[in-house]
Amino acid sequence: MGGWDFTLDSHTIPLLQPKKGAAPRYQNGPVQSQMQFPSGYGSHPPNYSAPSGHYSQVPNKAAASSHLDNQYRASYYPTYYSAPAQNVMTPSVGSSVLNTQESQQFYNKTPPHTVGSAEGPIQGAISPVSYLHTSAQQSYSAFGNHYSTSVSSSVTSQGFPLNSDRYTMPVVSSALYPNVSYPAAAGGVYGQAFTSQSLPAVGQFKETTTFSSQSTSVPHSLQQHVPMGYNSTLSTIPSAQSTQDNLSRHLTGSAAKVNNQINTGGVDSPQPMHSVSQTIPFTKPGAGTPASSAVVSSVRTPAPSLSSQPRSSPSVTQSPESALQEGMQYGGYVNNQASSAPAPLSSSSDDEEEDEEDEEAAIDSSSTTSSASPVLNNYDALEGGGYPETRSVTSSPVPAPSVPQTSKASKPFGYGYPTLQPGYQNAAPPAPVQPSNPGHHPGFQHYPQQYPGVNQLSSSLGGLSLQHSQQPESLRPVNLTQDRNILPVSSVPAPVPNLNSDLRKLNCSPDSFRCTLTNIPQTQALLNKAKLPLGLLLHPFRDLTQLPVITSSTIVRCRSCRTYINPFVSFIDQRRWKCNLCYRVNDVPEEFMYNPLTRSYGEPHKRPEVQNSTVEFIASSDYMLRPPQPAVYLFVLDVSHNAVEAGYLTILCQSLLENLDKLPGDSRTRIGFITFDSTVQFYNLQEGLSQPQMLIVSDIDDIFLPTPDSLLVNLHESKELIKDLLNALPNMFTNTRETHSALGPALQAAFKLMSPTGGRISVFQTQLPSLGAGLLHSREDPNQRSSTKVVQHLGPATDFYKKLALDCSGQQTAVDLFLLSSQYSDLASLACMSKYSAGCIYYYPSFHRSHNPAQAEKLQKDLKRYLTRKIGFEAVMRIRCTKGLSIHTFHGNFFVRSTDLLSLANVNPDAGFAVQMSIEESLTDTSLVCFQTALLYTSSKGERRIRVHTLCLPVVSSLADVYAGADVQAVVCLLANMAVDRSVSSSLADARDALVNAVVDSLAAYMSTASNLQQSVLVAPNSLRLFPLYILALLKQKAFRTGTSTRLDDRVYAMCQMKSQPLVHLMKMIHPNLYRIDKLIDESTIHVNDRVVPQPPLQKLSAEKLTREGAFLMDCGSAFYIWIGKNCDNNFIKDVLGYPDYASVPQKMTQLPEGDAPSSERTRSFISWLRDSRPLSPVLQVIKDENPGKTEFFQHLIEDRTEAAFSYYEFLLNIQQQISTYVGRIRSFQLLTLP
Amino acid sequence: MAFTFAAFCYMLSLVLCAALIFFAIWHIIAFDELRTDFKSPIDQCNPAHARERLRNIERICFLLRKLVLPEYSIHSLFCIMFLCAQEWLTLGLNVPLLFYHFWRYFRCPADGSELAYDPPAVMNADTLSYCQKEAWCKLAFYLLSFFYYLYCMIYTLVSS
């Protein structure tokens, strides 16, 4: 009982699994067989251990289907291997050869294999179909092959070991190239993939990349064909500039083709490409000096040590290319593949491409093959980038099976992905083999090392990688009951998906798009085992500082699933791309071939759509049937006695007057006002009137519009009248004695007024509606506020508001509710008007302009933001995901129009959404899944726009990896959403139970997988170490707490917030941040806009941290509390608060004075920094001991015990107890079932 | 050969069962229509279509709601008739569904004044698939019981 769907679903889903037949559900069975083979891998550094899960899966798959996946999978982490490999190889060629040989040996027990395998890797990659490894061993040997290929070729033919630079992807590189011109491009996405080395002396960045292309169509040996390639051209033509375009195009073209080949296994490319590896050492000058680059490159500093290559080989020179990081994207691809290209090159030709900036790399025309490269010793060499590469293609004819791309096996190739894959196959081998280089890991600590070291593979097969001594950080077991300091120093970062650096760079920002599990489990069964919810947290309309906006007459979308083209699609050739969600192959339209940014043709992969995971399209007229609606704002104001007494009208009218010109809109913007008490008043603001006319309709049972066309008026034409009205409104009703409120009829009138256009209705309400349709009665029993049993009335009392909201939604009208009431006003019912019309809800309990200045200030600030923020009209949002996943529940404010289409009458930048997903088909034949959110809206300027976010995540097959990728904040937020639903549909107690069970289940599942853990202690993986804390915080949150007196409206409002807030805000609401601010020092500061911002560490939310000598700042998202200790340093009070001592600090203090003292400056800069990080500027309250706000403050200290709830430690003990019974039960069950 | 009360019950239930089968089929079609929007994606994004689609949804939900009570009452009538006719086996077969119907009818979501098929709720993919499954199961049940009633009717007519 009390569990959630994600646990309950387990029964239904497995039914689907048989489809995938061979898909390995558990690692144990088939995998074992593999172990024998890879024993050679044993030499691996143990570091690789943890992630082994990935790899364990590999063999399975291979057996099941094509081994393509394996390689693919394997290619995840190719990066890491490079470094070590090179180290080894650098010293001498001979030795390196030896090494490689050995390494090869490791990999391949059967040397003869290598020959055949030489083509193996390539083809395997190219055409999964043609080259199937049927047995596990085979599949493995595939790896081996790759390795062996490179090795053997190098040994035999050239005797020269080549490294592929592919493997070194210095993370730095991106940082190195800030000069990317295209702002939206977010840096050279792919550029990063290439090793970029900085030569410190010159201040230049040098990149060596190897370029190779293979012609799959023509079986040929390297040597023969090589000369035909662009290589020759390059070498012959010295004039870089003139030919550059040519070249680059050529290159990219070929690159793309190669790529295609990789994917499709055969492309009928007009020009035969050669499996040539060109090592192109590229010296790239700093951003500003493109010209010099040419020079430098011609000088050719980074001559790769080609000298050692035997000249005898007729092969083509690998051209060390001075490639630009950016331009190389495709090169990068090729590169990988090429990495295995033959080394025996005598002539080096440089290839280069333009990057987005039109920055050009000079062609290195010098074909100095024999010069030993000094570069080898430098960073380059270490990273492997500078290395000449051995390509083992040798004489093995590359069969070109031109297999149509459609085969499902080739699915997984992401756009960026294929790159790695081939690289992995070919070049990876030497690197990972080196057991002697454990040292390279530190650089990549972010990543759990996922390399499938064989030893680790085997071990992972046997059990779980958890047992390894070395684990990724996120899997490190944390003993919760003993580790008391689990909070990070600063804010909790979102986990980074375990992708290769290319994809990681391209991926959507976690601020807009987060998944609860950054490693997607392969099957629903695995997901059920993990006991964690799978879902997405979206913040699609977030304010962005940088957003590529694309104007194009054709928006490229998949023809079958309508996915927008995105960075994770794969280009099969220049004219076709493959959808990453449904795997359909689509044509690239002619227009897409032209890249407006570089003004070049034939580079579809460089278009901004493909370079950015967040883009905005300006839609063509296809996307609208009626002209885009103007911005229309209608204000519906309560003017009953209660409202006038509270005094909100003054604040509202003031804010409106101030922001009238800042209202988003264009020349068509319209505005109108309706006020209501027991009657409904309309205001005729028609241009030409001398003053606003009030029209009163007292027939509230049958409401009508007195003058339909002059109530909503053009803002610009009637501005004077509007201003008059706003100035008069606050005083117009000062003497009213009307206490009734006819909200329902006023809303009906508003709906009638808005229905021709759509727009936004802002409702200000101060009491329970008491007249006409939609009247409500008080349902709250104050005596039940602190009840621990049943909390009733969380749902609406009437359908009126829901129906109205649906009607509004149909007319593209959203209703935003501002509830400013001092007593119960049944928010549960009223909120429906916003919930289903995609509006937003603001609630100001006990609002009074003069008695409650904090709330008044909050309203003022909220209004400022509300009136001026961006707004999108008549929006729809669709979330698509890779085939196999399905979205089943949505959370947020909207109406679901068809099962995957959310209808949002308005969308605002502060709205967040959550979705729950299930895995319908097992994902064994893909290694990446993608999610795409497309939000189509009309901007306030009347443009139809589409904002597209795409997120790409890896698929994993082991439970440990699932835990390693858990995003605890996202999990908690999704759980909060589910708990809200549960408490409305079932009961609050049920929801609370479910929350606790979520922790118990997942931790128990984790502990039962890690058999070596003691059962007596409570252990969580590092990634989930905050899980119990957050859940406890949720249980103590206003929405879910019991036992503490909570007003029903407060509770309902908290629930509404949970459903509609984006993750960042929600997390602050659930678990506020506490900082100590009386001793801010300049150490550990960051600089933002020339301001020094101190970064005090996060404190535990516990009273034990509050010392009387200190001052603390609590950041609750919507409010800041500064708590001053009794014995706080008087200097601090004087400097920062502006009062001589503690006693003189006033009770209601909401602002810090502008002091000159450094402590004051620091405090203020810290607070303003915190404020800047969120759209709503929170209200600050200074709290002293005897302050009424004290309870507010102290109830946020969630680690402490309250009279009604556990302390954190007690909560942990409670969980531990439940787990031990739970695990015990499972164990005994297993004992019973397993003889 | 006698025309007993039991035989009469079976004959009546036979006729009504046909109606129930019709209801179930109608439910399936309705849920299918709710689930799929037959417009092209671009049309779906069109505000004018939004209105039409919303109307459609509301209309379907309204009809669904209308059908709830007739269906439940017809089925309860069966049970009462079989109780009176002392057809214990048939009654036993129907009682589980009867209880399910009661549960479904009286388990309102907290404070919700509408019992089921509330547009925003029913559009949830989860709910929708549940409803669809339910409709399929009921269809199967009613079909089987139709033939069972037919058999029983003939049996009672012949045996007595």
Side-chain angles (χ1 to χ4, degrees):
Chain A
M1 109 164 207
W4 257 302
D5 307 356
F6 64 86
T7 50
L8 297 178
D9 275 350
S10 57
H11 306 292
T12 59
I13 306 302
L15 295 178
L16 296 174
Q17 277 201 341
K19 278 186 195 169
K20 293 289 168 186
R25 272 163 67 182
Y26 308 101
Q27 307 167 336
N28 298 333
V31 186
Q32 299 280 7
S33 61
Q34 319 252 340
M35 295 174 56
Q36 35 115 355
F37 151 62
S39 58
Y41 283 75
S43 54
H44 259 300
N47 312 15
Y48 294 115
S49 62
S52 58
H54 284 284
Y55 299 95
S56 64
Q57 166 196 24
V58 174
N60 278 336
K61 274 196 190 167
S65 58
S66 71
H67 76 282
L68 180 71
D69 260 343
N70 306 338
Q71 300 166 343
Y72 193 38
R73 204 157 273 268
S75 64
Y76 269 88
Y77 310 103
T79 338
Y80 313 115
Y81 313 122
S82 58
Q86 269 120 13
N87 285 337
V88 178
M89 301 179 84
T90 0
S92 75
V93 176
S95 66
S96 64
V97 172
L98 274 181
N99 272 338
T100 44
Q101 260 177 335
E102 285 172 6
S103 65
Q104 177 201 354
Q105 293 275 1
F106 283 127
Y107 278 91
N108 233 333
K109 296 234 161 164
T110 58
H113 231 0
T114 57
V115 178
S117 64
E119 8 174 311
I122 302 166
Q123 275 148 17
I126 292 172
S127 66
V129 179
S130 65
Y131 196 68
L132 285 184
H133 293 281
T134 47
S135 75
Q137 202 201 354
Q138 280 281 7
S139 69
Y140 245 88
S141 64
F143 283 158
N145 292 341
H146 308 318
Y147 306 152
S148 63
T149 52
S150 58
V151 175
S152 67
S153 65
S154 62
V155 174
T156 55
S157 61
Q158 287 91 14
F160 190 74
L162 290 185
N163 272 335
S164 70
D165 53 0
R166 246 325 164 135
Y167 297 93
T168 64
M169 301 179 173
V171 183
V172 197
S173 64
S174 62
L176 290 180
Y177 302 102
N179 56 347
V180 179
S181 65
Y182 182 43
V189 196
Y190 284 91
Q192 178 202 9
F194 316 127
T195 46
S196 60
Q197 291 83 9
S198 62
L199 293 181
V202 194
Q204 296 173 345
F205 305 118
K206 216 189 312 172
E207 283 187 353
T208 9
T209 45
T210 50
F211 235 75
S212 78
S213 55
Q214 310 169 334
S215 73
T216 47
S217 57
V218 185
H220 59 275
S221 67
L222 260 191
Q223 291 86 349
Q224 301 164 349
H225 285 275
V226 176
M228 298 175 53
Y230 34 82
N231 266 341
S232 56
T233 353
L234 286 179
S235 56
T236 54
I237 304 173
S239 71
Q241 301 293 6
S242 62
T243 52
Q244 258 185 351
D245 274 357
N246 242 338
L247 265 180
S248 61
R249 195 167 310 152
H250 191 115
L251 275 181
T252 45
S254 61
K257 275 167 200 156
V258 173
N259 184 13
N260 300 334
Q261 293 172 352
I262 297 173
N263 283 334
T264 53
V267 177
D268 39 0
S269 58
Q271 317 163 330
M273 310 196 178
H274 324 283
S275 51
V276 177
S277 75
Q278 317 162 339
T279 53
I280 306 164
F282 174 46
T283 54
K284 182 191 167 185
T289 63
S292 67
S293 69
V295 179
V296 176
S297 58
S298 64
V299 174
R300 198 178 165 79
T301 4
S305 64
L306 293 177
S307 60
S308 58
Q309 302 173 355
R311 287 303 181 77
S312 60
S313 65
S315 67
V316 180
T317 19
Q318 298 312 50
S319 60
E321 174 197 10
S322 54
L324 282 187
Q325 69 291 29
E326 303 251 321
M328 292 302 293
Q329 308 159 351
Y330 273 85
Y333 270 51
V334 178
N335 213 348
N336 293 338
Q337 202 180 7
S339 58
S340 60
L345 317 174
S346 55
S347 71
S348 65
S349 66
D350 295 350
D351 287 344
E352 33 87 16
E353 291 193 11
E354 307 178 349
D355 68 355
E356 309 263 9
E357 255 186 331
D358 287 343
E359 206 179 5
E360 304 181 348
I363 295 182
D364 182 0
S365 59
S366 69
S367 61
T368 60
T369 55
S370 57
S371 67
S373 66
V375 184
L376 281 182
N377 297 328
N378 68 11
Y379 178 64
D380 246 1
L382 292 181
E383 286 297 308
Y387 260 127
E389 306 195 350
T390 13
R391 163 79 184 213
S392 66
V393 178
T394 62
S395 59
S396 65
V398 182
S402 58
V403 180
Q405 169 64 4
T406 52
S407 73
K408 211 184 174 193
S410 49
K411 260 188 203 179
F413 288 114
Y415 172 62
Y417 234 66
T419 337
L420 298 177
Q421 171 193 5
Y424 173 61
Q425 303 169 320
N426 300 334
V433 185
Q434 308 300 342
S436 57
N437 308 316
H440 69 289
H441 291 290
F444 305 98
Q445 346 162 309
H446 275 291
Y447 272 50
Q449 288 290 342
Q450 304 253 0
Y451 187 71
V454 174
N455 59 348
Q456 138 199 43
L457 179 79
S458 54
S459 60
S460 77
L461 300 179
L464 279 162
S465 47
L466 291 178
Q467 300 164 2
H468 288 265
S469 53
Q470 303 243 0
Q471 293 170 342
E473 175 61 16
S474 56
L475 270 183
R476 181 172 58 83
V478 176
N479 189 337
L480 292 174
T481 43
Q482 282 171 14
D483 253 338
R484 304 210 62 196
N485 296 315
I486 52 172
L487 275 183
V489 175
S490 59
S491 57
V492 183
V496 184
N498 205 346
L499 298 166
N500 68 58
S501 56
D502 275 0
L503 292 179
R504 221 182 341 155
K505 269 207 103 179
L506 279 173
N507 227 346
C508 196
S509 150
D511 292 337
S512 327
F513 213 146
R514 261 167 103 160
C515 184
T516 55
L517 302 176
T518 51
N519 292 333
I520 302 287
Q522 213 170 41
T523 59
Q524 181 72 32
L526 187 61
L527 176 60
N528 292 337
K529 264 206 237 164
K531 304 279 186 192
L532 288 170
L534 177 61
L536 300 172
L537 278 295
L538 304 169
H539 192 182
F541 203 55
R542 194 166 65 96
D543 288 323
L544 293 166
T545 51
Q546 206 187 45
L547 174 71
V549 179
I550 294 161
T551 319
S552 161
S553 62
T554 56
I555 293 171
V556 183
R557 302 174 68 176
C558 173
R559 287 181 64 85
S560 73
C561 66
R562 310 299 297 163
T563 299
Y564 295 83
I565 197 165
N566 60 70
F568 310 106
V569 303
S570 48
F571 282 91
I572 293 163
D573 55 32
Q574 262 186 307
R575 305 313 307 254
R576 291 184 299 162
W577 61 279
K578 189 176 180 194
C579 175
N580 52 343
L581 298 194
C582 69
Y583 308 118
R584 184 197 153 107
V585 177
N586 295 277
D587 291 335
V588 176
E590 186 60 32
E591 199 188 332
F592 200 72
M593 300 298 291
Y594 176 75
N595 187 350
L597 281 175
T598 57
R599 289 183 292 284
S600 55
Y601 183 83
E603 295 172 346
H605 52 278
K606 283 198 200 167
R607 298 262 305 189
E609 295 95 318
V610 190
Q611 294 286 323
N612 294 281
S613 59
T614 297
V615 291
E616 189 155 290
F617 296 98
I618 296 187
S620 56
S621 53
D622 298 346
Y623 289 80
M624 43 193 152
L625 265 199
R626 69 173 189 181
Q629 73 169 63
V632 182
Y633 305 110
L634 178 65
F635 293 87
V636 179
L637 311 173
D638 182 2
V639 291
S640 61
H641 176 78
N642 200 15
V644 174
E645 174 64 27
Y648 83 90
L649 271 177
T650 322
I651 297 175
L652 171 68
C653 293
Q654 199 60 41
S655 300
L656 255 179
L657 277 173
E658 281 166 13
N659 295 305
L660 211 51
D661 296 326
K662 295 184 205 152
L663 283 178
D666 54 7
S667 60
R668 303 177 299 159
T669 308
R670 294 161 76 184
I671 194 168
F673 296 88
I674 293 177
T675 56
F676 64 94
D677 39 32
S678 61
T679 59
V680 180
Q681 297 102 33
F682 298 88
Y683 295 88
N684 184 348
L685 300 166
Q686 190 67 329
E687 189 191 7
L689 290 176
S690 59
Q691 60 176 21
Q693 260 179 6
M694 188 201 279
L695 307 161
I696 301 177
V697 174
S698 54
D699 183 7
I700 54 169
D701 292 328
D702 183 19
I703 200 81
F704 62 93
L705 300 180
T707 58
D709 47 354
S710 56
L711 299 178
L712 275 178
V713 294
N714 188 297
L715 176 62
H716 302 281
E717 289 165 5
S718 306
K719 188 170 271 180
E720 287 313 309
L721 282 176
I722 293 166
K723 282 186 177 167
D724 287 349
L725 176 65
L726 288 177
N727 283 320
L729 257 186
N731 303 321
M732 230 187 272
F733 300 94
T734 37
N735 298 320
T736 183
R737 294 180 179 279
E738 197 56 69
T739 54
H740 283 295
S741 159
L743 175 65
L747 282 173
Q748 286 172 328
F751 168 68
K752 281 186 181 161
L753 197 51
M754 296 295 276
S755 51
T757 54
R760 181 175 80 188
I761 301 176
S762 313
V763 178
F764 289 78
Q765 171 72 10
T766 59
Q767 55 174 317
L768 210 56
S770 55
L771 271 185
L775 84 154
L776 298 169
H777 304 285
S778 179
R779 295 188 290 169
E780 187 189 35
D781 177 3
N783 299 327
Q784 295 293 312
R785 276 182 191 163
S786 57
S787 148
T788 50
K789 292 173 206 142
V790 188
V791 178
Q792 283 176 318
H793 310 303
L794 292 173
T798 165
D799 286 338
F800 174 81
Y801 297 99
K802 188 188 283 184
K803 285 203 169 114
L804 184 98
L806 290 185
D807 289 342
C808 284
S809 172
Q811 304 293 346
Q812 304 298 332
T813 306
V815 186
D816 294 342
L817 173 67
F818 287 79
L819 186 61
L820 317 116
S821 69
S822 41
Q823 73 280 61
Y824 177 73
S825 349
D826 202 351
L827 184 61
S829 303
L830 293 181
C832 287
M833 72 170 101
S834 300
K835 261 187 206 164
Y836 300 108
S837 66
C840 49
I841 301 161
Y842 295 88
Y843 176 53
Y844 304 87
S846 57
F847 176 88
H848 196 280
R849 190 162 75 94
S850 47
H851 298 167
N852 195 343
Q855 289 288 13
E857 189 191 343
K858 187 167 185 307
L859 173 67
Q860 203 175 358
K861 286 178 166 165
D862 286 356
L863 274 175
K864 181 160 186 277
R865 163 78 183 166
Y866 173 76
L867 294 172
T868 55
R869 72 185 176 191
K870 234 178 112 128
I871 184 169
F873 296 101
E874 43 187 8
V876 286
M877 183 163 82
R878 196 186 289 272
I879 303 164
R880 298 179 171 90
C881 47
T882 297
K883 208 162 64 180
L885 292 172
S886 83
I887 292 174
H888 62 83
T889 307
F890 298 91
H891 302 277
N893 289 352
F894 49 73
F895 177 66
V896 186
R897 216 160 69 198
S898 61
T899 44
D900 60 343
L901 187 74
L902 305 185
S903 164
L904 306 165
N906 282 2
V907 60
N908 68 68
D910 304 329
F913 303 90
V915 297
Q916 286 170 250
M917 291 184 299
S918 57
I919 302 170
E920 302 243 301
E921 297 170 33
S922 98
L923 301 167
T924 34
D925 49 0
T926 183
S927 54
L928 290 180
V929 290
C930 292
F931 308 94
Q932 187 172 68
T933 313
L935 177 72
L936 171 67
Y937 68 98
T938 303
S939 76
S940 51
K941 303 274 185 248
E943 276 173 330
R944 204 80 172 126
R945 284 166 170 249
I946 308 162
R947 187 174 290 189
V948 179
H949 301 276
T950 316
L951 178 73
C952 177
L953 295 174
V955 177
V956 298
S957 62
S958 85
L959 200 53
D961 288 328
V962 175
Y963 283 117
D967 180 345
V968 66
Q969 293 195 319
V971 168
V972 167
C973 289
L974 187 62
L975 285 175
N977 275 303
M978 292 158 71
V980 171
D981 276 1
R982 177 64 72 92
S983 35
V984 174
S985 69
S986 177
S987 74
L988 192 66
D990 206 4
R992 287 172 57 89
D993 284 347
L995 282 174
V996 177
N997 286 349
V999 185
V1000 171
D1001 288 352
S1002 58
L1003 291 189
Y1006 169 78
M1007 286 167 70
S1008 63
T1009 60
S1011 53
N1012 60 339
L1013 296 173
Q1014 299 171 355
Q1015 293 306 319
S1016 56
V1017 294
L1018 182 62
V1019 174
N1022 194 36
S1023 58
L1024 287 177
R1025 70 187 191 282
L1026 294 172
F1027 195 23
L1029 179 62
Y1030 284 157
I1031 291 294
L1032 178 68
L1034 260 186
L1035 293 176
K1036 293 189 176 183
Q1037 230 281 332
K1038 268 184 191 158
F1040 302 116
R1041 71 185 178 194
T1042 54
T1044 314
S1045 175
T1046 312
R1047 302 193 320 162
L1048 191 53
D1049 277 350
D1050 285 348
R1051 191 187 293 279
V1052 172
Y1053 179 63
M1055 288 184 172
C1056 294
Q1057 294 272 85
M1058 299 213 164
K1059 295 277 275 186
S1060 62
Q1061 291 283 307
L1063 184 136
V1064 244
H1065 304 170
L1066 189 52
M1067 274 323 294
K1068 291 228 179 67
M1069 208 175 106
I1070 294 173
H1071 189 270
N1073 292 340
L1074 183 68
Y1075 307 94
R1076 178 164 187 173
I1077 53 165
D1078 63 326
K1079 285 178 184 161
L1080 292 179
I1081 43 169
D1082 280 335
E1083 286 168 25
S1084 73
T1085 55
I1086 56 170
H1087 292 259
V1088 182
N1089 300 333
D1090 300 333
R1091 264 186 328 176
V1092 179
V1093 180
Q1095 298 287 296
L1098 278 182
Q1099 306 280 338
K1100 261 168 55 170
L1101 288 174
S1102 166
E1104 78 184 63
K1105 291 286 176 189
L1106 301 177
T1107 60
R1108 285 171 174 276
E1109 290 79 31
F1112 292 83
L1113 173 71
M1114 183 185 281
D1115 171 10
C1116 301
S1118 58
F1120 285 154
Y1121 299 105
I1122 290 184
W1123 183 85
I1124 310 287
K1126 235 185 190 112
N1127 303 332
C1128 185
D1129 186 12
N1130 272 347
N1131 287 333
F1132 176 81
I1133 294 180
K1134 195 164 64 189
D1135 290 345
V1136 177
L1137 302 178
Y1139 290 93
D1141 53 13
Y1142 178 80
S1144 58
V1145 175
Q1147 289 289 338
K1148 290 178 180 174
M1149 183 174 173
T1150 58
Q1151 256 171 347
L1152 295 185
E1154 303 255 329
D1156 290 334
S1159 61
S1160 165
E1161 240 162 53
R1162 278 191 217 115
T1163 312
R1164 277 183 295 115
S1165 80
F1166 178 59
I1167 291 176
S1168 64
W1169 176 74
L1170 287 177
R1171 272 194 177 139
D1172 289 346
S1173 67
R1174 74 205 69 199
L1176 291 179
S1177 67
V1179 173
L1180 185 136
Q1181 271 179 285
V1182 177
I1183 303 225
K1184 295 200 310 180
D1185 260 353
E1186 61 275 19
N1187 196 303
K1190 201 181 88 173
T1191 46
E1192 275 288 304
F1193 176 78
F1194 277 93
Q1195 76 190 12
H1196 286 302
L1197 298 175
I1198 51 106
E1199 294 200 23
D1200 291 337
R1201 189 167 202 285
T1202 66
E1203 68 270 23
F1206 286 138
S1207 73
Y1208 179 53
Y1209 189 72
E1210 289 167 323
F1211 184 64
L1212 286 179
L1213 290 183
N1214 183 25
I1215 287 179
Q1216 188 180 343
Q1217 191 189 344
Q1218 292 195 37
I1219 286 179
S1220 58
T1221 57
Y1222 180 94
V1223 172
R1225 220 166 44 226
I1226 289 189
R1227 286 273 155 85
S1228 58
F1229 179 69
Q1230 281 172 342
L1231 284 179
L1232 285 177
T1233 50
L1234 302 174
Chain B
M1 184 87 152
F3 190 77
T4 59
F5 178 67
F8 169 76
C9 283
Y10 281 119
M11 288 167 83
L12 188 61
S13 55
L14 209 56
V15 176
L16 290 177
C17 201
L20 287 180
I21 290 170
F22 169 77
F23 283 175
I25 292 174
W26 194 88
H27 271 83
I28 290 169
I29 295 172
F31 289 127
D32 197 56
E33 191 169 345
L34 284 181
R35 179 188 292 274
T36 45
D37 193 353
F38 292 108
K39 294 288 171 155
S40 74
I42 286 182
D43 271 359
Q44 284 184 3
C45 303
N46 169 20
H49 169 66
R51 205 164 311 148
E52 185 192 320
R53 166 77 180 160
L54 211 111
R55 291 240 175 81
N56 228 350
I57 292 172
E58 284 190 323
R59 186 178 51 82
I60 294 172
C61 288
F62 179 71
L63 281 174
L64 282 173
R65 235 173 279 151
K66 283 242 155 163
L67 278 184
V68 168
L69 216 52
E71 186 195 334
Y72 290 4
S73 47
I74 288 176
H75 189 258
S76 325
L77 181 67
F78 283 6
C79 295
I80 295 169
M81 284 193 310
F82 294 132
L83 183 68
C84 298
Q86 298 182 337
E87 291 289 326
W88 304 120
L89 177 63
T90 319
L91 182 66
L93 289 175
N94 274 296
V95 158
L97 185 61
L98 182 72
F99 279 124
Y100 175 75
H101 280 164
F102 271 112
W103 174 78
R104 195 93 161 97
Y105 191 84
F106 290 107
R107 193 213 60 158
C108 314
D111 294 326
S113 54
E114 291 178 357
L115 69 150
Y117 306 127
D118 168 36
V122 85
M123 284 309 289
N124 211 329
D126 236 7
T127 323
L128 205 53
S129 57
Y130 175 80
C131 290
Q132 204 155 23
K133 251 178 247 163
E134 185 194 27
W136 277 108
C137 292
K138 275 189 184 170
L139 177 63
F141 180 81
Y142 290 143
L143 266 179
L144 287 178
S145 49
F146 180 83
F147 290 110
Y148 175 75
Y149 297 152
L150 189 65
Y151 167 80
C152 288
M153 181 187 76
I154 296 170
Y155 182 80
T156 41
L157 283 177
V158 171
S159 63
S160 58

